[in-house]
Amino acid sequence: MTQTEWFPVAGVKLAAIAAGIKKPNKKDLVVIELAEGSRAAGVFTTNRFQAAPVQVARRNLAEKAPRYLMINTGYANAGTGDKGHAYCEETCLLLSELAHCAPSEVLPFSTGVIGQTFPMEPFEEGLPLALDDLSEHHWGRAAEGIMTTDTVPKVASRRIELDGDTITITGIAKGAGMIKPNMATMLGFIATDAKIAQPLLNQWVKSLADRSFNRITVDGDTSTNDACMLIASGQVGAEINDRADRNAELLYQALEAVFVELAQALIRDAEGATKFVSIEVSGARSDRDAQIVAETIGHSPLVKTALFASDPNWGRILAAVGRAPIESLDVDKVAVWLSEVELVREGGVADSYTEEQGAAVMARPEITIRVDLGAGDGTGQVWTCDFSYDYVKINAEYRT
């Protein structure tokens, strides 16, 4: 999507500046201003070493409707103890004093190196500049401002008509490594100008994360700082408070499209990735079993390195299915496909399969691995990537 297609969301303004938090001349401080009356809901990492900004944002979100979101890159402010928590509170206070709101109306988010606090001076000098630069058209700049090892900014946008009103949805996300489905393994900020009742917003952000960001994995690592926010500024249309309403369903579908586009964009830009891989599991006893099998395949370093080498070593897929921690598995009923090529039928190599067919599929930039467990109606899905030499290099040099 080109920048001209990023639709502004009424009631939402953004700014991104190079504050010099870690590196000079790199956008690293983002402020998002929400109109009075906006509502927000979020999901946060389940990692028990939750960063200071995660703790503060969760607390503030429970207390009051937010007016400002503040995101910094460079330092995650995780594993920093009381000092890191105090620094986080101080940045919220700084912004609240400048913006004339309560500190509890500021939600902080950080991403970067774990175990190090950030310097305060860039916030003291940068926040006034950010507030002066707020604009509803700065979604692209904000997407750049939250990047760490990302190579491209991620923005998605949709417009739909509801009873004659034009509803806009636009969102940004960051993440290229330390990605595993476990709530929302990244930072994501999605806003709409629709008016959504708070209970429904709370339900939707969890459901939408489960259908998008919780279906991606790069390396099986869950960050200390993950957060995904859904914002409804309430500037357009009547309030939506019943999921059974036709307008609610249309809006949910549009939101899901934005969430999925952003989630898949993270995988397409994953650290060192050369291939985008969809893993689809069906025929499980439950959706949970199917998801466990899909994630086990998606987390397998042996499967991911075979994908990078374009090696149709399908035995690695079968081995991953066999070690998935589900209660029961009848291996004689398992079937596996690489895109349109059948690899396995009734637990063994398919009669029609040839190595040349498998190699041709594995050489593609986009691949689908399909597994049928032959045990029920449960389904699951994961989007992942291959492991390349560059993944090791990027993470070996991450702090330099």
Side-chain angles (χ1 to χ4, degrees), residues 66-307:
R67 289 296 317 284
Y68 291 88
L69 281 64
M70 173 178 56
I71 310 106
N72 76 272
T73 65
Y75 299 103
N77 197 10
T80 50
D82 292 342
K83 181 179 178 181
H85 195 91
Y87 275 28
C88 184
E89 298 275 20
E90 189 172 343
T91 59
C92 292
L93 180 60
L94 278 171
L95 180 53
S96 70
E97 290 176 341
L98 291 165
H100 307 292
C101 68
S104 58
E105 292 178 299
V106 177
L107 303 184
F109 304 87
S110 299
T111 181
V113 177
I114 295 171
Q116 297 179 10
T117 57
F118 43 65
M120 290 301 302
E121 292 81 7
F123 288 85
E124 295 166 353
E125 298 174 4
L127 285 172
L129 300 176
L131 290 175
D132 287 343
D133 196 43
L134 287 167
S135 169
E136 64 179 8
H137 299 290
H138 285 174
W139 284 96
R141 294 188 191 182
E144 292 177 21
I146 64 174
M147 292 167 56
T148 49
T149 58
D150 308 64
T151 66
V152 294
K154 287 90 175 171
V155 188
S157 204
R158 297 286 190 284
R159 273 184 170 162
I160 59 171
E161 296 291 322
L162 296 181
D163 292 338
D165 294 315
T166 300
I167 302 296
T168 301
I169 304 161
T170 300
I172 59 175
K174 64 79 54 181
M178 199 177 277
I179 301 285
K180 174 189 180 295
N182 197 357
M183 190 273 343
T185 333
M186 30 52 77
L187 291 180
F189 307 96
I190 297 91
T192 177
D193 49 19
K195 186 179 295 184
I196 305 173
Q198 189 67 53
L200 193 60
L201 201 67
N202 294 341
Q203 294 172 18
W204 278 8
V205 72
K206 293 181 175 66
S207 173
L208 289 163
D210 282 342
R211 297 180 68 84
S212 57
F213 296 115
N214 282 348
R215 293 188 177 185
I216 63 176
T217 182
V218 171
D219 45 26
D221 271 311
T222 297
S223 172
T224 54
N225 291 61
D226 305 337
C228 177
M229 299 299 302
L230 176 58
I231 297 157
S233 69
Q235 303 294 297
V236 179
E239 181 168 279
I240 295 173
N241 53 31
D242 185 353
R243 175 66 195 270
D245 182 81
R246 176 179 175 275
N247 283 343
E249 184 58 31
L250 291 172
L251 178 57
Y252 183 89
Q253 290 174 4
L255 285 166
E256 184 178 342
V258 170
F259 271 71
V260 169
E261 182 177 337
L262 289 171
Q264 291 188 354
L266 303 190
I267 295 300
R268 296 183 189 281
D269 189 37
E271 292 171 343
T274 68
K275 295 178 182 177
F276 178 89
V277 184
S278 297
I279 302 172
E280 301 172 0
V281 177
S282 61
R285 291 193 175 187
S286 66
D287 288 349
R288 181 177 181 275
D289 277 3
Q291 195 65 23
I292 288 171
V293 172
E295 290 180 10
T296 304
I297 298 168
H299 294 157
S300 169
L302 290 179
V303 171
K304 293 162 82 68
T305 50
L307 288 162

Side-chain angles (χ1 to χ4, degrees), residues 20-32:
I21 293 172
K22 186 179 181 186
K23 296 180 179 179
N25 304 317
K26 178 189 182 299
K27 293 186 183 71
D28 55 10
L29 182 59
V30 173
V31 173
I32 303 175

